[in-house]
Amino acid sequence: MLSPHQLGAELRRLREQMEYTLTEVAQSIGISKSLLTLAEQGKRRLPLAALQRLLALYGSSLTQLLSARYLPDRSAAGAACWHGIDLLAFVSDRALRGCVLRLLRPAPVPESAVWLELRLSPGSQLPPEGYWSLSASSDGVALEGNLLVELPGDELLVRSGEAFSIRAGQGHRYRNYLRTPVRAVLVLSRAVL
């Protein structure tokens, strides 16, 4: 697994490759220069929204960054087995406790489809505040429990075994309002997370 120090070194490498200063990047994504410095040193984790803005500024995504660092656990001629990794393990948001967003297969280039497993404990939601408005369409299937997909001014209850689709640019969030865990598979049309 990628350590915080390795992630920080990669963030610094991307910033230097883009020829940005710490001050320019911090101001651009709305965090302090000291927080960015600590993140690049592997001493602090960034909030999810700040990490997404940072990687978008660098023309990358968390899925691309992590995919480039991982090799298959096992492989055979013509096949590979990949363990997957929790994307939320790299962020600092306390409100995301009880949420797992596992990258199920590598997505090394932006055009790659992204396969994710979403797990929500009772009472949790993703993102922790507001809505996501991703530049990629997404499809999903609720595997266990009932997933509530909230849209501004509307909501969609997806029962276990049912599928749903969200168009690119549509604000949404995922919520578990029940007392049992929810598990779903999400497929984004390209690597934007």
Side-chain angles (χ1 to χ4, degrees):
M1 182 166 170
L2 192 67
S3 73
H5 291 322
Q6 290 170 318
L7 177 61
E10 188 63 20
L11 293 176
R12 181 177 179 174
R13 185 193 67 77
L14 289 170
R15 178 180 56 78
E16 289 173 346
Q17 181 180 325
M18 299 293 292
E19 299 182 357
Y20 290 137
T21 66
L22 283 165
T23 303
E24 289 171 331
V25 172
Q27 288 176 348
S28 179
I29 66 168
I31 63 172
S32 70
K33 180 180 168 184
S34 61
L35 177 57
L36 181 57
T37 300
L38 291 171
E40 286 188 357
Q41 294 171 352
K43 295 179 181 176
R44 289 282 307 269
R45 294 179 181 172
L46 296 173
L48 178 61
L51 184 57
Q52 286 180 293
R53 288 190 306 270
L54 177 66
L55 290 169
L57 178 68
Y58 297 159
S60 187
S61 69
L62 190 54
T63 53
Q64 287 174 258
L65 187 68
L66 296 175
S67 294
R69 302 280 301 179
Y70 284 88
L71 298 174
D73 288 336
R74 303 182 311 271
S75 64
C81 180
W82 199 66
H83 183 303
I85 185 164
D86 182 10
L87 299 176
L88 302 179
F90 297 95
V91 298
S92 64
D93 305 64
R94 290 177 189 237
L96 291 175
R97 289 186 182 153
C99 300
V100 172
L101 192 60
R102 180 173 300 282
L103 181 61
L104 294 176
R105 71 172 206 174
V109 294
E111 297 79 29
S112 298
V114 176
W115 290 67
L116 302 164
E117 176 187 20
L118 173 66
R119 289 180 182 252
L120 298 174
S121 62
S124 60
Q125 72 177 33
L126 188 65
E129 296 177 8
Y131 297 95
W132 269 341
S133 181
L134 304 175
S135 60
S137 61
S138 60
D139 294 300
V141 176
L143 301 176
E144 295 173 14
N146 296 334
L147 177 65
L148 186 63
V149 180
E150 294 182 333
L151 311 163
D154 201 3
E155 60 186 32
L156 174 66
L157 177 61
V158 184
R159 292 180 175 86
S160 184
E162 293 181 340
F164 63 95
S165 184
I166 299 172
R167 71 180 187 277
Q170 173 66 56
H172 66 285
R173 71 176 157 225
Y174 304 107
R175 176 177 276 174
N176 180 1
Y177 63 94
L178 297 175
R179 294 181 184 179
T180 58
V182 169
R183 190 169 142 250
V185 170
L186 310 173
V187 181
L188 279 63
S189 59
R190 58 192 185 87
V192 295
L193 276 178

